[in-house]
Amino acid sequence: MFARTDDAFYDDVLLVDERESFLGLITTQTLFKVQNALLRANINDLVDKEQEIRSKNEQMETDLRMAMELQQALMSFNYSRFCDDKRELQFSHRYRPASMVGGDFFFISRISDSCTGVFICDVMGHGVRSGLITSMLRALIEALGPRAAEPDFLLAELNHELASILRQIDTTLYVTAVYCTIDAATGQLRVANAGHPSPLHLVSESGRCVRCAPQITKGALSSAFYPRHAIKPRQ
Amino acid sequence: MFARTDDAFYDDVLLVDERESFLGLITTQTLFKVQNALLRANINDLVDKEQEIRSKNEQMETDLRMAMELQQALMSFNYSRFCDDKRELQFSHRYRPASMVGGDFFFISRISDSCTGVFICDVMGHGVRSGLITSMLRALIEALGPRAAEPDFLLAELNHELASILRQIDTTLYVTAVYCTIDAATGQLRVANAGHPSPLHLVSESGRCVRCAPQITKGALSSAFYPRHAIKPRQ
């Protein structure tokens, strides 16, 4: 190949030997035909490649979307079962995760007819890896059954089980979590916090916001220290 | 725009009015310049678009790879801890999953100094969604602790907890699983099977392969029926 300046780019090319004797002529037309064919081949290649990547991409997105639907179902789709209009406790949530499947997770569980547990956690990092940890936590809460009525105990147990799993695979991973139980019969709200931002309690009588528990900055479920903060939401 | 036949494609274009009076001439050179510019713009667009999709793709792949590393660590990286060359029980595995993160899962757990549990499962479907279920199962096994020594009990418990979670979110999902405990002290191998292909026992004395338990075709962990099959591997 040979390079030409922009000005001369559209001129015919004269081929000469070292003594400047005429060897031949490549017309612009011919050059263009060749170049055109190259460009078109280039475009076809790119379109094919794009198609291939796009289809792989769509597969992964479909995969992640199905996983997202499961993860979000694990969080929210169950509380309408035990919190209808006629109950004293009602819940609503707003969830804006960083990625389709990730470490932002919450779970509202029925403990008894009057008592409900609210678990909120954030697994360090994001993406599917963190999502796998959230589904472990969800399963561990399920396995605790009625023992989930005790906030301190629940966080300590989750910490114990998760730490045991992670220790086996030499993995360090931080999780912050807060867990509240709300009992409509006794009017008691109990909160245990493991490094998570404190939940806010909007007091209806005064319209003021109260932090439910002091925030512990120390790394989360890796710590075994869960201060309890008990307040009575309605006196 | 106007279309031309392939033959005439590289000719100059003569512009005439309805009475065939000469209006102007577009030389092939000019046409080529325009076409060339269009093709190059087209290529640049495609390259940009490809770059964008490729980068999104790489992000998802990195995400999945990190999740895959965690999932595979949950399976295999721990058994070397309690099964070294000096022990009676030794393990090795070959794992070829259908996708990076998916529903193919196994777990080898230490129950006591002499006893080990081997859990193998296949969650219906594949991809991240199924992967989330495997990490739940892994956590549930962890939570069972020493109670995992009883194969029937382990599968029944996993079934109970998983079914309870899935019922809350109106999701049907099938899992097949087989769980064996191998006790080097007593020489006893116990197997419970929930719809999974039977494990094969290669008997060292005879060189024959024996199926450890009959395969139950009925859908898996959704069923509460787990036949037990107990054989003594070394008499």
Side-chain angles (χ1 to χ4, degrees):
Chain A
M1 291 302 287
F2 52 98
R4 295 196 289 176
T5 62
D6 278 358
D7 280 353
F9 197 79
Y10 295 101
D11 294 341
D12 292 344
V13 175
L14 195 64
L15 296 175
V16 293
D17 67 10
E18 283 157 1
R19 283 164 305 177
E20 307 218 341
S21 300
F22 175 74
L23 286 177
L25 181 77
I26 309 178
T27 63
T28 308
Q29 267 199 16
T30 307
L31 285 172
F32 271 126
K33 283 184 194 180
V34 173
Q35 190 186 34
N36 203 314
L38 283 173
L39 288 175
R40 283 179 189 279
N42 205 332
I43 287 177
N44 286 339
D45 274 4
L46 281 169
V47 168
D48 285 354
K49 223 190 289 175
E50 199 208 300
Q51 199 59 42
E52 195 184 309
I53 307 174
R54 193 179 288 278
S55 128
K56 204 174 159 189
N57 209 310
E58 278 164 9
Q59 271 173 32
M60 284 198 283
E61 279 194 344
T62 305
D63 184 13
L64 286 174
R65 187 158 298 113
M66 283 174 62
M68 178 188 74
E69 283 166 13
L70 176 68
Q71 200 193 25
Q72 298 198 0
L74 287 173
M75 292 187 236
S76 55
F77 288 175
N78 69 328
Y79 70 66
S80 56
R81 300 279 174 85
F82 52 87
C83 307
D84 54 38
D85 289 349
K86 291 159 208 147
R87 302 291 176 104
E88 273 201 73
L89 292 176
Q90 277 155 45
F91 295 88
S92 63
H93 72 273
R94 187 178 186 209
Y95 176 72
R96 298 186 60 182
S99 54
M100 283 213 277
V101 178
D104 302 307
F105 192 76
F106 74 92
F107 175 50
I108 299 177
S109 59
R110 182 189 175 284
I111 294 169
S112 71
D113 275 347
S114 67
C115 189
T116 301
V118 179
F119 176 78
I120 301 171
C121 78
D122 182 6
V123 179
M124 184 188 74
H126 48 86
V128 176
R129 182 186 162 93
S130 304
L132 291 174
I133 303 290
T134 66
S135 69
M136 284 191 180
L137 292 170
R138 173 66 182 80
L140 291 171
I141 295 174
E142 191 70 25
L144 284 174
R147 291 178 293 162
E150 178 58 58
D152 287 1
F153 177 78
L154 180 124
L155 287 191
E157 274 298 294
L158 290 187
N159 182 47
H160 173 73
E161 301 293 355
L162 188 62
S164 159
I165 293 170
L166 296 175
R167 200 166 41 239
Q168 287 166 45
I169 61 174
D170 282 334
T171 296
T172 306
L173 198 140
Y174 291 94
V175 183
T176 64
V178 65
Y179 182 63
C180 319
T181 55
I182 306 155
D183 195 326
T186 63
Q188 200 174 48
L189 166 67
R190 295 168 70 199
V191 181
N193 193 328
H196 205 77
S198 299
L200 298 174
H201 172 211
L202 176 64
V203 185
S204 56
E205 290 87 347
S206 64
R208 281 184 58 223
C209 248
V210 182
R211 282 193 184 279
C212 284
Q215 187 189 342
I216 307 303
T217 48
K218 196 172 167 225
L221 281 178
S222 59
S223 141
F225 178 58
Y226 311 109
R228 185 167 68 187
H229 179 89
I231 55 168
K232 292 202 169 209
R234 280 193 248 171
Q235 307 274 353
Chain B
M1 290 302 289
F2 53 99
R4 298 194 290 172
T5 63
D6 278 359
D7 280 353
F9 197 79
Y10 295 101
D11 295 341
D12 293 343
V13 174
L14 194 65
L15 296 176
V16 292
D17 67 10
E18 282 161 359
R19 283 163 305 175
E20 307 220 339
S21 299
F22 175 75
L23 287 178
L25 181 76
I26 309 177
T27 64
T28 309
Q29 268 200 16
T30 306
L31 285 173
F32 271 127
K33 283 184 195 181
V34 173
Q35 190 185 34
N36 205 315
L38 283 173
L39 288 175
R40 282 178 190 280
N42 204 333
I43 287 178
N44 286 339
D45 274 3
L46 282 169
V47 168
D48 285 354
K49 222 190 290 175
E50 199 207 301
Q51 199 61 42
E52 195 185 308
I53 306 174
R54 193 179 289 277
S55 131
K56 204 173 159 192
N57 211 310
E58 278 166 8
Q59 272 173 31
M60 285 198 283
E61 278 194 345
T62 305
D63 184 14
L64 286 174
R65 187 159 297 112
M66 283 174 62
M68 178 188 74
E69 283 167 13
L70 176 68
Q71 199 193 26
Q72 297 199 0
L74 287 173
M75 291 186 236
S76 54
F77 288 175
N78 69 329
Y79 69 66
S80 57
R81 300 279 174 86
F82 52 87
C83 307
D84 55 38
D85 289 349
K86 289 159 210 147
R87 302 291 177 105
E88 272 201 76
L89 292 176
Q90 277 155 47
F91 294 88
S92 63
H93 73 273
R94 188 181 186 208
Y95 176 72
R96 297 186 62 182
S99 54
M100 284 213 277
V101 178
D104 302 307
F105 192 76
F106 74 92
F107 174 50
I108 299 177
S109 59
R110 182 189 174 285
I111 294 168
S112 70
D113 274 348
S114 67
C115 189
T116 300
V118 178
F119 176 79
I120 301 172
C121 78
D122 183 6
V123 178
M124 184 188 74
H126 48 88
V128 176
R129 180 186 164 92
S130 305
L132 291 173
I133 302 290
T134 66
S135 69
M136 285 191 180
L137 292 170
R138 174 66 183 79
L140 292 172
I141 296 174
E142 191 71 25
L144 284 175
R147 291 177 293 162
E150 178 60 57
D152 287 1
F153 177 79
L154 180 124
L155 287 192
E157 274 297 296
L158 290 187
N159 182 46
H160 173 74
E161 300 293 355
L162 188 62
S164 159
I165 292 171
L166 296 175
R167 201 165 38 238
Q168 287 166 46
I169 61 175
D170 282 335
T171 297
T172 306
L173 198 141
Y174 290 94
V175 182
T176 63
V178 65
Y179 182 63
C180 319
T181 55
I182 307 156
D183 195 325
T186 63
Q188 201 176 46
L189 166 68
R190 294 167 70 200
V191 181
N193 193 329
H196 205 77
S198 301
L200 298 173
H201 173 212
L202 176 64
V203 185
S204 56
E205 290 86 347
S206 64
R208 283 184 56 222
C209 249
V210 181
R211 283 192 184 279
C212 284
Q215 188 189 340
I216 307 302
T217 48
K218 193 168 170 229
L221 281 177
S222 59
S223 142
F225 179 57
Y226 309 110
R228 184 167 70 186
H229 179 92
I231 55 169
K232 294 201 168 209
R234 279 192 249 172
Q235 308 273 353

